[in-house]
Amino acid sequence: MQIICIYLLQMISICATRIPEEKQTRESAMKINRRPISIVLAGLICFAAQMCLAQRPGTQLHVLCSFYPMYVMALNVIGPTPGVKVECLTEPIVGCLHDYQLTPANLKALGAADIFIANGAGMETFINKALQQSTNLKVIEASRGLKLAFKDNPHVWVSVGGAVEETKTIAQGLEAADPAHAAVYEQNAAGYVRRLENLGHEMHVALDGLKNRNIITFHEAFPYFASEFNLNIVGVVEREPGSEPSAGELARTIQTVRNAKVKALFAEPQYPAKSAEVIQRETGVPVSILDPAVTGPREPAKARDSYIRSMEENLKVLVKALKD
Ligand SMILES: [Zn+2]
């Protein structure tokens, strides 16, 4: 549509520049022909204007993100770029996509999208099905190219350094897919990466001096985070959300808490903390909330800072729970 529009406008401009030349050479003929040319020009201008107006929704670049952390990164990279729509495939309350099943509405949304931003590394097990929805769908995998320190663990974004790398990969993918806005994406990504790096620095300053670094987490979301800030995850209460630990597993975790002198159990805001509460009752170690930043508000203005806010809150919780 845009090409047709430009072509029509070029035609109009060529016609308009021809009139004076013809006026010089064939003035009498022009007197006769000017009116039809004017009518044609007016018609073309109206047509071109209609085409330009009509193309707005059609040419909008539709960027779909698999789940909340990808949505937040995409919003920061894309910013308020006109003509680019950013949406989240799954509801912002869904959390991690372990074993997520696509709904008919999801399939429809994938079919209508131009770009699909996924975390990759096994988080979106439905990715092949997603690709079948549209042959034109361009997929950006945020974790692509990263050396995963924890095999088969996709929770890269939970470390601030991982979020930095994924933001850069998303920006590169968008720059390649939408070169017209490449400079904007690059600039926005650089600004967000600076904010993330400042956050990481602030967290290191607050956490590096802690003596007791043993923690127990809720599901397998935190190894990258713990590695970044030198925390030791000595136990995981539920390996996958919703998979209740057996009595034997709970007993072993309780023993680990006692042996490793764990000072804090970390549940997550997205999942019930029932098992963690059992351990708290048995050991007297309090349960705190550590957020893997997988849920938050949908409104772009609020969602943009959601990751940074979650990490700042995590920092407060960790310092409070682990300080001597
Ligand atoms: Zn997870």
Side-chain angles (χ1 to χ4, degrees), residues 4 11 15 41 48 53 64 85 89 91 101 107 122 125 133 143 150 171 189 199 216 233 248 267 276 295 306 311:
I4 296 168
M11 275 179 63
C15 290
L41 279 176
L53 287 172
L64 193 62
K85 187 167 78 171
L89 177 75
E91 292 296 317
Q101 299 292 319
L107 294 171
T125 46
Q133 295 308 304
S143 65
F150 301 92
L199 169 75
I216 298 244
I233 299 178
T295 53
S306 173
M311 284 298 160

Side-chain angles (χ1 to χ4, degrees), residues 12-323:
I12 292 164
S13 114
I14 289 163
C15 290
T17 52
R18 269 185 190 161
I19 291 169
E21 290 170 24
E22 289 182 10
K23 196 177 177 183
Q24 284 172 6
T25 54
R26 290 190 291 140
E27 198 172 342
S28 57
M30 271 305 294
K31 274 179 190 164
I32 300 161
N33 293 333
R34 190 173 290 159
R35 187 171 290 173
I37 287 175
S38 304
I39 291 166
V40 170
L41 279 176
L44 282 173
I45 289 167
C46 286
F47 183 54
Q50 277 179 349
M51 295 285 280
C52 289
L53 287 172
Q55 76 168 25
R56 270 186 199 156
T59 55
Q60 199 169 51
L61 189 71
H62 188 174
V63 179
L64 193 62
C65 307
S66 62
F67 76 135
Y68 199 69
M70 301 300 109
Y71 178 60
V72 172
M73 288 178 203
L75 286 174
N76 278 286
V77 173
I78 293 166
T81 305
V84 184
K85 187 167 78 171
V86 186
E87 284 186 324
C88 196
L89 177 75
T90 50
E91 292 296 317
I93 51 158
V94 166
C96 277
L97 299 179
H98 309 294
D99 302 323
Y100 182 82
Q101 299 292 319
L102 291 173
T103 66
N106 292 158
L107 294 171
K108 198 174 161 198
L110 283 160
D114 300 302
I115 297 172
F116 182 54
I117 299 178
N119 178 75
M123 176 58 79
E124 297 87 355
T125 46
F126 55 78
I127 202 153
N128 288 334
K129 203 172 176 187
L131 282 168
Q132 286 164 12
Q133 295 308 304
S134 166
T135 47
N136 298 322
L137 188 66
K138 163 114 184 81
V139 177
I140 299 171
E141 273 193 53
S143 65
R144 175 154 292 184
L146 293 179
K147 267 199 174 153
L148 298 182
F150 301 92
K151 198 173 169 285
D152 298 328
N153 191 319
H155 304 85
V156 179
W157 73 92
V158 187
S159 82
V160 180
V164 165
E165 292 309 317
E166 291 202 312
T167 299
K168 287 180 181 172
T169 304
I170 289 171
Q172 283 164 6
L174 286 168
E175 286 163 32
D178 181 20
H181 296 121
V184 176
Y185 298 148
E186 195 182 342
Q187 196 181 4
N188 289 346
Y192 187 53
V193 162
R194 261 197 308 277
R195 292 184 66 201
L196 290 174
E197 285 172 347
N198 288 342
L199 169 75
H201 178 71
E202 179 197 341
M203 292 176 78
H204 268 295
V205 168
L207 295 172
D208 284 356
L210 294 174
K211 287 196 185 79
N212 192 335
R213 316 188 76 84
N214 292 344
I215 63 170
I216 298 244
T217 60
F218 194 77
H219 91 285
E220 297 271 31
F222 291 94
Y224 295 95
F225 178 91
S227 167
E228 181 170 39
F229 298 108
N230 297 313
L231 302 167
N232 309 318
I233 299 178
V234 295
V236 176
V237 179
E238 291 181 12
R239 300 212 165 265
E240 288 301 332
S243 65
E244 290 282 317
S246 66
E249 283 172 327
L250 264 182
R252 274 195 294 281
T253 308
I254 288 163
Q255 202 52 49
T256 305
V257 171
R258 287 176 179 145
N259 292 347
K261 297 189 170 47
V262 170
K263 287 189 74 176
L265 300 169
F266 292 106
E268 295 169 33
Q270 292 81 19
Y271 310 111
K274 214 166 72 187
S275 313
E277 279 158 9
V278 171
I279 303 168
Q280 175 177 331
R281 270 203 306 278
E282 292 295 319
T283 61
V285 176
V287 177
S288 310
I289 299 290
L290 210 51
D291 188 354
V294 289
T295 53
R298 184 195 296 276
E299 305 94 287
K302 290 182 185 167
R304 267 188 206 109
D305 290 340
S306 173
Y307 179 85
I308 290 177
R309 275 200 308 272
S310 293
M311 284 298 160
E312 283 172 344
E313 195 53 39
N314 284 342
L315 177 60
K316 278 187 210 158
V317 168
L318 279 165
V319 168
K320 188 165 177 253
L322 296 178
K323 72 173 191 274

